[in-house]
Amino acid sequence: MSLLATTAQHFLSTFIGTVRDVMPIVIIMFGFQFSVLRRPVKNWRKVVTGFVLVIFGLSFFLMGLELALFPLGESMAQQLTAPAFLFDSDEVIPLHIDWSEYYWIYLFAAAIGFSTTIAEPSLIAVAIKANQVSGGTIKVNGLRIAVALGVSMGIALGSYRIVVGDPLHYYILVGYIIVVIQTFFAPKMIVPLAYDSGGVTTSTVTVPIVTALGLGLASTVPGRNPMLDGFGLIAFASLFPMMTVMGYAQLSVWRERRSENAL
């Protein structure tokens, strides 16, 4: 079978699966529209066109994940943790590799976390809505960068946890204690947005790449189990944006007060 035929068959199966997954949403929305609200749908043509675009877009995206993002994320993790990459040809490879030797992994994890979050469609949508509702007080790019920095730090720390093999719950407990403390001191208007930012960033772009990175790391670092250590990076990616968004708001308030005092 040719590559084109194989790709077409793969897309067809993905498309059918996407239609099956989207149908409950369609049934619920139109069911409430006609049976509960009892009102006609405005702009039928736009609505149908939108659903068709969503289905095709999801199909292409899911297919791209399987063919490109998942394999690439795993291969990058495997190559960055390979002893041949960590040590020069004339060096003796130790039986136990220290966590500090994997510094390229931490840098890569931070970079991939920042870049995927900046490109996250759901975060862009939330940032635009927050800017509109706040009357321009919350900047779109400011919020996106604050969230991206949080994800960047979280995934880097999560990669370190996989390398050293520490229990996940220790990090998560400490992280949420910090979030609770910040909640009392952060501006009240930013707290709900900060909590939501942890969820919207772990969406279509970030989750597949980060998951592939974690599984690739746990599969190649000696002594790690993919089932026990490979998952958990998404928890870090959800937790740290809360800290950075509230920290961003606290910093903004502090700068405003400092400017007022200077005058």
Side-chain angles (χ1 to χ4, degrees), residues 151-170:
V151 176
S152 176
M153 292 187 292
I155 296 178
L157 182 61
S159 299
Y160 165 81
R161 183 201 71 84
I162 293 176
V163 169
V164 298
D166 288 339
L168 174 64
H169 58 277
Y170 291 162

Side-chain angles (χ1 to χ4, degrees), residues 22-136:
V22 172
M23 280 308 296
I25 303 174
V26 176
I27 293 171
I28 290 172
M29 293 182 69
F30 285 109
F32 268 81
Q33 182 70 29
F34 294 127
S35 63
V36 178
L37 298 176
R38 299 180 184 277
R39 293 186 178 180
V41 177
K42 297 180 180 180
N43 301 319
W44 262 106
R45 186 175 298 177
K46 289 185 178 180
V47 172
V48 173
T49 303
F51 270 111
V52 171
L53 291 175
V54 165
I55 292 172
F56 272 97
L58 284 173
S59 301
F60 280 116
F61 181 74
L62 292 172
M63 189 174 174
L65 289 181
E66 293 182 35
L67 297 178
L69 293 184
F70 268 125
L72 186 60
E74 290 187 19
S75 66
M76 287 289 291
Q78 292 169 0
Q79 293 173 57
L80 288 170
T81 55
F85 173 78
L86 298 175
F87 301 95
D88 296 329
S89 57
D90 57 343
E91 288 186 89
V92 177
I93 300 175
L95 293 177
H96 174 73
I97 301 176
D98 190 68
W99 66 269
S100 59
E101 298 290 348
Y102 294 100
Y103 62 90
W104 278 113
I105 277 291
Y106 313 137
L107 291 174
F108 174 72
I112 204 69
F114 186 90
S115 59
T116 54
T117 305
I118 286 292
E120 193 67 67
S122 56
L123 176 60
I124 296 173
V126 168
I128 292 173
K129 287 297 181 183
N131 177 264
Q132 294 172 350
V133 172
S134 66

Side-chain angles (χ1 to χ4, degrees), residues 143 146-147 190 193-194 197 240-250:
L143 179 62
V147 175
I190 204 69
L193 180 60
S197 298
F240 274 76
M242 303 182 200
M243 301 182 195
T244 53
V245 171
M246 286 192 284
Y248 167 67
Q250 289 172 289

Side-chain angles (χ1 to χ4, degrees), residues 174-185 195 243 246:
V174 172
Y176 274 105
I177 289 172
I178 295 173
V179 168
V180 170
I181 294 173
Q182 274 189 294
T183 302
F184 287 101
F185 297 99
Y195 278 47
M243 301 182 195
M246 286 192 284

